[in-house]
Amino acid sequence: MIGHYIQPKEIVIDSTLSLVKYYPNYTRTLPWYQDLEVCRQVDNRNDPYDRERLSRMYRYLSKEGECYYIKFRENGRSHLVGEITLYNGEVAIVICKEYQNRHLGRKAVSALINRARQVGWTRIDAQIYSFNKQSQRMFSSVGFRKIASESYQLML
């Protein structure tokens, strides 16, 4: 929850993509955070998460804002392919490696930009490591501007 706004259970983006309110599902999410390439993109770490660390992260993000899974439907089946969070004036996103570069992150970030407007935010920040050119391009494509070496911002 952000302020007094109740988090929606689902934000439908289109017929193949939606954001679903976080619920514990470590069977699906833990493998994302055991992929060392994804860990480096997200936290600039070279060691994987364990279940306890992942649980602490989700508790924090859910307490400080709104955390959603990114649900993608293809070939008649739905898959959780990542997560996205609005918290403390920021947006953070993770897409598992096999679903990256399909513009799912761009659509998810755009949906949360709209959510941030709904709850009255006037700007959104994103922290992106300087080596993560893929995320830099994606955030820039939806209107974020680089304001410092690893900081991006979108005025709403």
Side-chain angles (χ1 to χ4, degrees), residues 67-79:
C67 187
Y68 298 90
Y69 291 122
I70 301 167
K71 183 171 77 171
F72 180 61
R73 185 166 184 79
E74 97 182 315
N75 301 325
R77 297 191 58 206
S78 292
H79 310 275

Side-chain angles (χ1 to χ4, degrees), residues 66-129:
E66 295 183 353
C67 187
Y68 298 90
Y69 291 122
I70 301 167
K71 183 171 77 171
F72 180 61
R73 185 166 184 79
E74 97 182 315
N75 301 325
R77 297 191 58 206
S78 292
H79 310 275
L80 298 182
V81 299
E83 79 210 18
I84 188 165
T85 306
L86 277 178
Y87 69 104
N88 296 334
E90 292 189 27
V91 63
I93 185 169
V94 174
I95 304 280
C96 64
K97 195 172 3 180
E98 57 267 43
Y99 286 91
Q100 292 180 3
N101 299 311
R102 295 171 84 174
H103 302 293
L104 303 177
R106 185 175 306 183
K107 290 178 180 180
V109 169
S110 293
L112 280 197
I113 289 169
N114 290 334
R115 178 66 180 153
R117 284 186 180 112
Q118 287 175 346
V119 299
W121 287 12
T122 57
R123 75 170 208 231
I124 304 173
D125 296 319
Q127 302 304 311
I128 307 168
Y129 294 108

Side-chain angles (χ1 to χ4, degrees), residues 40-44 85 87-94 123-132 135-136 138-139 144-154:
R40 182 155 157 67
Q41 289 173 336
V42 173
D43 287 334
N44 197 18
T85 306
Y87 69 104
N88 296 334
E90 292 189 27
V91 63
I93 185 169
V94 174
R123 75 170 208 231
I124 304 173
D125 296 319
Q127 302 304 311
I128 307 168
Y129 294 108
S130 59
F131 60 81
N132 193 341
S135 284
Q136 292 171 6
M138 187 272 295
F139 275 92
F144 280 77
R145 294 181 183 249
K146 186 174 184 176
I147 59 168
S149 75
E150 295 184 339
S151 296
Y152 287 71
Q153 188 173 80
L154 175 68

